[in-house]
Amino acid sequence: EPEVTQTPSHQVTQMGQEVILRCVPISNHLYFYWYRQILGQKVEFLVSFYNNEISEKSEIFDDQFSVERPDGSNFTLKIRSTKLEDSAMYFCASSGTEYSNQPQHFGDGTRLSIL
Amino acid sequence: AQSVAQPEDQVNVAEGNPLTVKCTYSVSGNPYLFWYVQYPNRGLQFLLKYITGDNLVKGSYGFEAEFNKSQTSFHLKKPSALVSDSALYFCAVRDTNSGYSTLTFGKGTMLLVSP
């Protein structure tokens, strides 16, 4: 069964440094998402992406964050200047169609640790 | 705004007994409802969804959920629990009025099935 893959599985970064989290969505999917889960807390929506542009973003997704689909397969989340509070699990997800009744398929996540 | 409540942090059940994990939601329009399961160090895995139609929906691994519009609930159930069902379960909702595909998650319920 096709899967969403994320790399790296664990990223350790110094505060203030830039970090890029990578995702390869399921190949025929059109909608892409980033979520985060701070340890012990619920999964929070960050951003959705369709047709090479952001379709929705949450309050968490401020100017420090950006997303990109640099080629036909990768979908990246960049945090420009990391803060301690950015430490979390970051999940990428994709869905096949524009219809909001379709489930999103999640990767296994990248654990981001900011020191 | 859409929201989800999972009132129980943890549910304990003996193997072979029925299990219920509770979820209530709030939306302005009609809901699309989802259950996901998260095993340790893994991403969220889709279990089942309610879009329209029959209030009882069946999903993966013998799980089912009952949509109750008057009580705004979507409780997850299984007639006979397995030790391997032990995991973190998330309920999620999408508001059909929102025009977006964003999922809002509950905080999660840890299910522990004892042998």
Side-chain angles (χ1 to χ4, degrees):
Chain A
E1 184 177 333
E3 292 184 343
V4 175
T5 57
Q6 291 186 241
T7 55
S9 57
H10 191 190
Q11 175 78 46
V12 182
T13 301
Q14 292 288 330
M15 185 173 61
Q17 297 296 306
E18 175 184 286
V19 66
I20 297 176
L21 309 182
R22 291 182 166 80
C23 169
V24 178
I26 294 174
S27 62
N28 62 347
H29 282 186
L30 302 175
Y31 283 75
F32 314 113
Y33 312 84
W34 283 101
Y35 293 82
R36 79 172 185 189
Q37 184 181 29
I38 294 173
L39 186 64
Q41 298 186 25
K42 65 180 179 180
V43 177
E44 300 173 292
F45 167 76
L46 292 178
V47 65
S48 60
F49 191 86
Y50 171 71
N51 199 26
N52 286 320
E53 61 182 24
I54 291 173
S55 48
E56 190 182 10
K57 60 183 181 180
S58 71
E59 294 175 350
I60 303 168
F61 195 88
D62 60 22
D63 292 343
Q64 296 296 318
F65 291 88
S66 62
V67 290
E68 192 178 30
R69 189 158 163 81
D71 53 42
S73 60
N74 290 285
F75 179 52
T76 62
L77 174 69
K78 181 190 292 185
I79 309 174
R80 191 172 62 201
S81 178
T82 50
K83 303 185 283 287
L84 293 175
E85 55 264 37
D86 293 327
S87 296
M89 280 291 286
Y90 287 81
F91 292 106
C92 174
S94 67
S95 62
T97 73
E98 64 184 301
Y99 300 110
S100 60
N101 61 0
Q102 295 302 306
Q104 295 173 16
H105 297 264
F106 285 76
D108 285 343
T110 294
R111 180 171 299 282
L112 178 62
S113 300
I114 307 300
L115 304 178
Chain B
Q2 56 196 39
S3 66
V4 175
Q6 292 181 244
E8 304 152 316
D9 291 334
Q10 185 168 306
V11 170
N12 297 301
V13 64
E15 187 172 35
N17 284 358
L19 69 87
T20 298
V21 182
K22 295 180 180 178
C23 170
T24 59
Y25 65 89
S26 175
V27 294
S28 60
N30 291 315
Y32 291 155
L33 293 155
F34 303 82
W35 275 101
Y36 285 84
V37 60
Q38 185 180 31
Y39 296 99
N41 301 313
R42 298 298 303 276
L44 283 76
Q45 184 176 341
F46 169 73
L47 276 180
L48 51 79
K49 66 178 181 179
Y50 171 82
I51 304 301
T52 187
D54 195 347
N55 289 344
L56 185 65
V57 293
K58 296 186 183 296
S60 306
Y61 313 119
F63 283 94
E64 57 190 28
E66 186 167 13
F67 171 65
N68 187 318
K69 187 172 184 177
S70 63
Q71 296 185 3
T72 61
S73 67
F74 189 57
H75 301 329
L76 181 70
K77 300 181 180 184
K78 187 173 182 181
S80 179
L82 300 172
V83 172
S84 57
D85 293 330
S86 298
L88 187 58
Y89 290 81
F90 290 95
C91 181
V93 69
R94 191 181 285 150
D95 190 342
T96 59
N97 271 4
S98 73
Y100 296 108
S101 54
T102 303
L103 281 176
T104 297
F105 286 87
K107 63 180 174 60
T109 299
M110 178 65 70
L111 173 66
L112 293 176
V113 182
S114 55

